[in-house]
Amino acid sequence: MRQVELKERILSLVETAPQINKAAFYSDPYVEKLVVELHSRWEEAGHEGEPIDYATREELEKLLELAEYYVRLPFWKAYKIVKERTEKGGASQSD
């Protein structure tokens, strides 16, 4: 899969996921850290395009793997993950 296709697939999965699954995805420690890094790269590039445009192929592949995992979770499991991460302070909690 080309990088453009990886990016489109990630965005499609996450954007169409139920809200609680999106929250579980975005609260994943790897995703949280990468989002900060991508915003930094995007800022350095003068805010051209979107932050995800600055992800490496490896980062996109990992994001796709995580997106596929989180969108398939049943509501109760996604809720449990978000609740636990929120109570324990976000990125310090890992699965």
Side-chain angles (χ1 to χ4, degrees):
M1 197 180 289
R2 296 177 334 182
Q3 279 190 242
V4 170
E5 293 167 327
L6 285 169
K7 181 180 80 167
E8 289 172 357
R9 178 79 176 131
I10 293 161
L11 293 174
S12 173
L13 283 169
V14 175
E15 289 171 5
T16 60
Q19 204 60 35
I20 196 68
N21 296 68
K22 279 186 206 180
F25 172 78
Y26 282 112
S27 70
D28 181 274
Y30 178 85
V31 176
E32 281 187 333
K33 185 177 176 188
L34 184 58
V35 165
V36 170
E37 174 62 28
L38 293 178
H39 273 86
S40 176
R41 294 177 199 167
W42 180 60
E43 270 185 39
E44 289 173 17
H47 299 105
E48 289 190 33
E50 298 178 46
I52 197 169
D53 295 337
Y54 298 91
T56 66
R57 178 172 190 81
E58 293 76 25
E59 290 166 338
L60 289 172
E61 288 171 351
K62 179 68 175 178
L63 284 175
L64 179 58
E65 177 186 319
L66 291 169
E68 288 173 337
Y69 170 76
Y70 285 109
V71 300
R72 286 192 304 257
L73 289 177
F75 175 88
W76 68 268
K77 191 164 188 179
Y79 177 80
K80 182 178 181 224
I81 288 170
V82 171
K83 186 172 177 356
E84 287 173 355
R85 288 179 178 158
T86 302
E87 289 172 355
K88 299 208 170 138
S92 63
Q93 170 68 21
S94 61
D95 292 331

